[in-house]
Amino acid sequence: MYITPLHNLIDVDLYGAKAAHLSKMKRGGFPVPDGFVISADAFFSFFIAKSDMTDLITEIRSELKRVGAAKYMVRSSAIGEDSDENSFAGQLDSFISSGEESDIIAHLKKCWDSYQNENVRVYEKHSGKKLNGMGVVIQQLIEPDFAGVIFTRSHLQAGQLLVEYVEGHGEKLVSGEMTPKSFHYSSKKPPTDKHFLPGLKTGLAIAQQIEQFYGSPTDIEWALKDGVFYVVQARPITSQIKEMEVYWSNTNVNENYPDPISPLLYSVAREAYYHYFKNLSRLFRIPAEEIRRLEPSYANVIGVFGCKMYYNMSSIHEILSASPFSDLLIKSFDNFVGYSAENKGTQKEFGFRTKLSFIKEFISLNLNLEKNVSEFEKIADDYSRQLKKAVVMEDLRLCFHSFIETRMHSWYRASLSDFFAMTYHGLLGKFCSKYYGNEAPGIQNKLIQSIPGLISSGPIIEMYDLIGKIRNDPETYESFNRLGAQEFLTWLQNNDSSEEILTAIHSYLENWGFRCSGELMLTSENYIEKPDSFIALLQQYEKLPNQNPEKIIQEKFLEATVAKKDFRKKILDREVWFLPKAWLQIGFLNFLVKRACHGIASRERVRLKQSLLYFRFKQVLQKIEKEFIKKGLLKNEGDILFLTYPEISEHLSASSMLFKIAPQIIEERRSEFLRTSELIYPDDFYTSRGINSAPAEVIQKGKSPETEGSLKGMCACGGIIEGRAKVLSTVLEAGKLEKGDILVTRQTDPGWVVVFPLISGLIVERGGMLSHGAIVSREFGLPAIVGVDSATTLIKDGDRIILNANSGEITICE
């Protein structure tokens, strides 16, 4: 016997893998069209040895009568084809045949002939694998309305099925005769082409069942006729699936964490970001099922390379893609943080009701933004007062856990300010583009400059007032100019006549002194801890011309008012023939400007309190560390930073499993930290998921900087200025600045705000439109460009440069 029906158990070595898979699925109850298989023995006997085919033809006649189809597909099932190692896809021929015996036999011979095709020989040579004979499947032909392929695991989007299809026979797809339509599918994104949806929806479920049946991803050829789904071929992919690429960027996150982060800080930050994004998803009523699906993305929002923190942009985009209007949200987030690469999320379709529900929640949360920001400010202030009263270890334990609870579970109040600042800034930018095209970024920035009451201006205004008080006291002013910073501070403390000024300095430090570069690092010193640094900064300010910052802010606010007036006129000119539309657009403009300004102002308020919380937490840790050292748990100052926060919690409750070897663990971590901190990674790169890569192994992403005297970035505040570049790595180098210099630095954090009165322009390598440097530059109308790749490398200290913030271009003159 040379033939066996498809419903029988089939030997892969005798009939080929293709036939074996069809048989396995048919016996498993899947909708495989009926047919039969001719063995490789027949191939060797009648094609190779040229024996008489009478017995084979008799068997074929019997099977054709049993199946009873009008037409058949005659296709190869070569031994070695569709194996785990090689598919030989498209190299062997298939034929549509009538049900006539003579036609079937003619096409059988043609199928055998394709075994000797030149392309088969080339494929064998290239792959190093050879075919070992040929079985042939003769199967009932389905004349399909649609046909195609389902990949149960897309190579393009993780967690999705990929569907490709054409009208009519699937051979058009395989042969390349037609370009297929395609879409990705998950339970949250059903196909929308209603012409074939009924049958294909069932087919997608069957495809998922087949993957479970095989226990591996599977490629499935299918046909759809009159709404009935058929499986005509399947090939399980048991070879290793290519790891999905994970995209990393340190943009913006560098503003908060500019230095290598300790194990303690990373343990806090990693879980904090997890709750940050997960709580936002819950607030906006993302379905619980979708939140569960995104669990891996929430758990991997950040990572560390060279002990520096990076955003996992793949995870963040995937999370944002779960929301309606995800395109806008992703673009707004990227603009917010200064990320310029493509969207890494999975695009989804959302129905009207889902979008409406999101909008209703958006409006409700926006109306309550002020309440949430005020409550967050109260939490931070209460925590600060709680620490001041902490005396015994039990008090410190409570303070420790209060911070962790706030950071993990109450931070959603702060996250809302980020969300609305980002979203309204993005909406305003989109609206500006409608009327101004390429000039939109400059207009957008002008509209939101000098936001009334922006808390970030407070330190500069209060410093200006403080210098005024010093100048108005001749004795104090003389000592201020004559003595060094520490000497002047000592002089103040010993001079009763200067008590008012000393009180004013203490007041400034209480209000703003915790704001400094690296304020969230738990390691950087601030002005409260080093008040002489603040005095040195005051002495630098005193050399400046007497410019009232409140007056400058007011002038810039008037400029913003004029820009809004010009915008309204532009709308009226364009919509002159339909005034109701014009007034509606003007109203929308006013609304967007107001909400964007309110979102940015709210964000700056919570960032101030965030700094306060981290500084107080740092003080808690220092006090706990002293107690741990007394008990012998730790040996040296700074050791506590090499424990994770759960480990500290366990030690505080005396429940640690490994308390006896804590010093040993700390020393090992410190050694690894010092070694790894020396590694330098690119700002933007990607890796394979699940693989830690050394710097030389990662793949850098992003455009190469232009080197012919010109650099490009994003306009943060418009204007054109020429001046001397001062390239600084830290705010502690501010003493190098002279009036009119253009500051060039890697990133800015709130600690840099005090140098803004010294400079005429700003260039920042990393950061987005809502970075701290961008916001404060708009307050004072300083031309600023952010996101300038390699600026601190390509611009040399002392270079004469032209900063054109209207176009985002920097020209190096000499």
Side-chain angles (χ1 to χ4, degrees):
M1 290 182 63
Y2 296 103
I3 291 178
T4 187
L6 273 179
H7 58 256
N8 285 353
L9 181 64
I10 286 179
D11 184 347
V12 67
D13 293 327
L14 185 58
Y15 294 96
K18 186 180 295 182
H21 289 313
L22 288 170
S23 169
K24 184 176 181 178
M25 287 188 293
K26 190 165 185 65
R27 287 180 289 109
F30 293 104
V32 175
D34 198 5
F36 54 94
V37 192
I38 300 173
S39 72
D41 285 349
F43 169 78
F44 288 116
S45 295
F46 306 117
F47 180 74
I48 301 299
K50 308 297 183 183
S51 300
D52 181 73
M53 293 180 60
T54 302
D55 291 344
L56 176 62
I57 292 172
T58 300
E59 286 189 58
I60 291 173
R61 186 180 303 128
S62 174
E63 281 298 309
L64 290 176
K65 184 176 180 181
R66 181 187 66 79
V67 176
K71 288 186 178 182
Y72 291 85
M73 177 64 74
V74 180
R75 64 198 335 180
S76 68
S77 180
I79 314 304
E81 182 185 5
D82 278 358
S83 66
D84 292 348
E85 294 82 16
N86 289 281
S87 70
F88 282 81
Q91 309 305 314
L92 298 161
D93 295 340
S94 299
F95 303 94
I96 296 176
S97 176
S98 72
E100 295 295 327
E101 178 185 309
S102 59
D103 207 12
I104 292 289
I105 293 170
H107 286 111
L108 169 63
K109 291 178 179 180
K110 287 183 179 181
C111 198
W112 282 340
D113 281 339
S114 69
Y115 188 85
Q116 297 179 333
N117 285 350
E118 178 62 25
N119 55 315
V120 174
R121 304 282 81 81
V122 171
Y123 188 94
E124 286 180 328
K125 182 178 180 180
H126 175 74
S127 66
K129 303 292 182 180
K130 287 186 173 293
L131 298 176
N132 297 306
M134 179 188 283
V136 176
V137 177
I138 299 177
Q139 189 177 18
Q140 177 189 358
L141 175 70
I142 304 298
E143 295 278 10
D145 301 316
F146 296 93
V149 181
I150 295 174
F151 304 89
T152 64
R153 296 295 174 96
S154 170
H155 62 289
L156 299 174
Q157 295 185 10
Q160 303 275 304
L161 285 80
L162 173 61
V163 181
E164 294 183 347
Y165 66 94
V166 295
E167 278 196 71
H169 283 287
E171 292 298 312
K172 298 177 184 178
L173 188 158
V174 176
S175 67
E177 179 184 338
M178 290 183 65
T179 300
K181 296 181 181 180
S182 65
F183 61 86
H184 281 87
Y185 170 86
S186 72
S187 58
K188 288 297 177 184
K189 186 179 182 291
T192 56
D193 191 341
K194 295 181 179 178
H195 182 59
F196 66 93
L197 177 59
L200 186 54
K201 189 172 182 180
T202 301
L204 290 166
I206 290 172
Q208 292 170 313
Q209 292 167 11
I210 290 174
E211 182 182 75
Q212 292 293 318
F213 182 69
Y214 277 106
S216 69
T218 310
D219 297 348
I220 300 164
E221 291 185 26
W222 54 271
L224 193 66
K225 176 66 175 176
D226 297 330
V228 179
F229 183 88
Y230 297 91
V231 177
V232 296
Q233 189 173 329
R235 177 177 178 263
I237 304 174
T238 56
S239 57
Q240 183 179 3
I241 301 297
K242 180 184 176 183
E243 290 287 348
M244 299 296 292
E245 293 171 349
V246 181
Y247 288 76
W248 302 94
S249 176
N250 65 11
T251 184
N252 183 259
V253 76
N254 246 3
E255 183 175 314
N256 290 330
Y257 305 98
D259 302 316
I261 61 171
S262 65
L264 170 58
L265 185 55
Y266 184 49
S267 70
V268 172
R270 186 171 177 85
E271 190 162 344
Y273 276 104
Y274 167 86
H275 290 291
Y276 180 101
F277 280 94
K278 196 168 189 178
N279 285 331
L280 269 179
S281 296
R282 287 169 173 156
L283 285 170
F284 284 97
R285 298 291 191 268
I286 303 301
E289 180 183 344
E290 188 71 0
I291 289 176
R292 284 193 296 273
R293 184 187 72 81
L294 289 169
E295 184 67 20
S297 295
Y298 295 126
N300 292 284
V301 169
I302 60 168
V304 287
F305 295 86
C307 292
K308 288 287 196 74
M309 193 180 297
Y310 282 77
Y311 278 138
N312 182 333
M313 299 304 297
S314 301
S315 287
I316 292 173
H317 283 180
E318 191 68 18
I319 291 166
L320 295 177
S321 294
S323 303
F325 314 106
S326 59
D327 280 346
L328 173 65
L329 294 180
I330 290 172
K331 288 176 183 176
S332 298
F333 181 84
D334 289 352
N335 192 256
F336 172 49
V337 301
Y339 185 69
S340 57
E342 68 274 12
N343 179 356
K344 307 298 183 301
T346 303
Q347 296 302 301
K348 300 177 177 66
E349 297 288 339
F350 295 91
F352 174 76
R353 292 182 64 182
T354 303
K355 291 180 178 179
L356 182 62
S357 176
F358 181 89
I359 291 171
K360 287 171 63 178
E361 209 59 39
F362 182 95
I363 293 171
S364 174
L365 290 170
N366 195 198
L367 291 173
N368 286 290
L369 177 60
E370 179 61 33
K371 176 183 176 184
N372 279 302
V373 169
S374 297
E375 289 184 5
F376 182 78
E377 290 174 320
K378 183 177 183 301
I379 288 171
D381 291 337
D382 288 346
Y383 184 75
S384 185
R385 286 189 289 269
Q386 179 187 7
L387 174 62
K388 290 178 181 178
K389 296 177 182 178
V391 177
V392 298
M393 195 63 176
E394 184 59 31
D395 298 336
L396 295 175
R397 189 163 74 95
L398 181 60
C399 287
F400 176 86
H401 287 289
S402 293
F403 173 84
I404 296 300
E405 193 285 330
T406 298
R407 191 65 187 89
M408 305 307 169
H409 304 297
S410 298
W411 214 263
Y412 71 89
R413 303 181 190 280
S415 68
L416 287 171
S417 64
D418 286 340
F419 178 83
F420 286 113
M422 173 189 84
T423 305
Y424 280 117
H425 184 270
L427 286 169
L428 179 61
K430 191 172 183 179
F431 188 78
C432 289
S433 296
K434 180 179 178 181
Y435 288 93
Y436 284 92
N438 293 334
E439 298 177 4
I443 299 301
Q444 178 187 13
N445 290 325
K446 183 76 74 174
L447 293 170
I448 57 175
Q449 74 179 25
S450 297
I451 298 171
L454 192 72
I455 205 163
S456 303
S457 306
I460 297 175
I461 294 171
E462 199 163 324
M463 284 180 72
Y464 175 81
D465 293 340
L466 186 51
I467 290 173
K469 289 179 180 179
I470 292 173
R471 284 172 176 164
N472 290 333
D473 185 325
E475 182 184 9
T476 302
Y477 188 53
E478 187 276 333
S479 298
F480 180 71
N481 287 313
R482 177 173 53 86
L483 300 174
Q486 183 58 58
E487 292 176 299
F488 176 69
L489 190 58
T490 303
W491 182 86
L492 275 179
Q493 293 167 343
N494 295 324
N495 193 324
D496 293 340
S497 64
S498 301
E499 184 178 350
E500 181 182 350
I501 292 174
L502 185 61
T503 300
I505 289 174
H506 286 157
S507 175
Y508 177 94
L509 294 175
E510 178 71 17
N511 293 332
W512 313 106
F514 50 85
R515 301 227 78 176
C516 199
S517 291
E519 60 192 16
L520 307 185
M521 291 298 303
L522 303 179
T523 51
S524 302
E525 291 184 312
N526 58 38
Y527 296 122
I528 293 177
E529 296 164 316
K530 292 194 68 177
D532 58 313
S533 297
F534 174 65
I535 298 300
L537 186 63
L538 278 178
Q539 291 172 330
Q540 188 76 3
Y541 260 59
E542 204 281 323
K543 300 173 184 178
L544 298 176
N546 187 15
Q547 291 183 298
N548 187 333
E550 290 184 288
K551 184 178 179 181
I552 296 172
I553 292 171
Q554 181 59 30
E555 289 173 355
K556 298 303 172 183
F557 177 72
L558 293 176
E559 288 181 9
T561 303
V562 171
K564 192 188 297 184
K565 181 179 178 181
D566 291 343
F567 201 151
R568 288 196 290 260
K569 184 176 183 302
K570 192 175 189 72
I571 293 173
L572 285 169
D573 290 344
R574 178 178 292 188
E575 311 293 349
V576 65
W577 301 111
F578 192 30
L579 285 179
K581 181 181 178 181
W583 290 116
L584 187 64
Q585 295 286 72
I586 289 171
F588 191 50
L589 169 66
N590 293 337
F591 171 78
L592 288 178
V593 172
K594 181 179 179 181
R595 299 317 303 174
C597 289
H598 184 253
I600 293 168
S602 298
R603 181 171 178 265
E604 289 300 291
R605 285 165 60 189
V606 300
R607 288 191 65 176
L608 174 68
K609 297 304 180 181
Q610 173 183 342
S611 302
L612 177 61
L613 277 166
Y614 270 77
F615 173 54
R616 297 306 185 201
F617 183 56
K618 175 184 173 182
Q619 292 179 314
V620 170
L621 291 171
Q622 289 170 339
K623 292 180 179 181
I624 290 174
E625 184 177 61
K626 288 180 181 178
E627 295 298 320
F628 281 0
I629 291 174
K630 287 179 185 178
K631 296 177 180 179
L633 180 62
L634 304 179
K635 291 182 178 180
N636 307 300
E637 288 187 9
D639 280 359
I640 198 168
L641 298 174
F642 292 92
L643 296 173
T644 65
Y645 87 82
E647 288 172 339
I648 295 173
S649 176
E650 290 170 0
H651 290 310
L652 286 170
S653 62
S655 60
S656 172
M657 290 177 62
L658 306 174
F659 72 94
K660 288 185 178 181
I661 61 170
Q664 178 184 335
I665 292 172
I666 288 168
E667 283 308 308
E668 290 177 356
R669 288 178 182 173
R670 188 193 304 275
S671 176
E672 180 66 13
F673 175 81
L674 293 174
R675 185 193 68 80
T676 308
S677 297
E678 297 297 318
L679 301 177
I680 305 299
Y681 283 80
D683 295 327
D684 296 285
F685 61 91
Y686 67 86
T687 63
S688 292
R689 181 170 293 156
I691 300 177
N692 285 333
S693 302
E697 298 168 339
V698 303
I699 304 172
Q700 191 164 357
K701 298 295 288 184
K703 61 180 181 181
S704 300
E706 301 171 44
T707 56
E708 298 298 323
S710 179
L711 295 168
K712 296 283 288 185
M714 294 187 293
C715 169
C717 183
I720 302 175
I721 190 73
E722 180 177 348
R724 184 184 69 161
K726 291 301 294 183
V727 183
L728 304 184
S729 60
T730 170
V731 72
L732 298 178
E733 298 177 327
K736 299 178 182 179
L737 290 168
E738 295 181 11
K739 183 63 179 177
D741 284 345
I742 298 173
L743 172 61
V744 183
T745 189
R746 182 164 171 75
Q747 72 270 329
T748 56
D749 60 26
W752 286 88
V753 66
V754 291
V755 308
F756 277 71
L758 296 168
I759 62 177
S760 62
L762 175 67
I763 299 170
V764 184
E765 274 190 6
R766 310 295 287 158
M769 302 303 291
L770 295 181
S771 63
H772 202 77
I775 291 172
V776 178
S777 66
R778 290 192 290 266
E779 282 301 283
F780 294 93
L782 291 173
I785 304 177
V786 299
V788 184
D789 191 23
S790 303
T792 59
T793 302
L794 298 175
I795 300 174
K796 306 302 181 185
D797 198 53
D799 277 353
R800 196 80 187 168
I801 63 176
I802 298 173
L803 188 160
N804 185 341
N806 295 332
S807 65
E809 186 174 28
I810 302 147
T811 303
I812 303 172
C813 302
E814 56 181 79

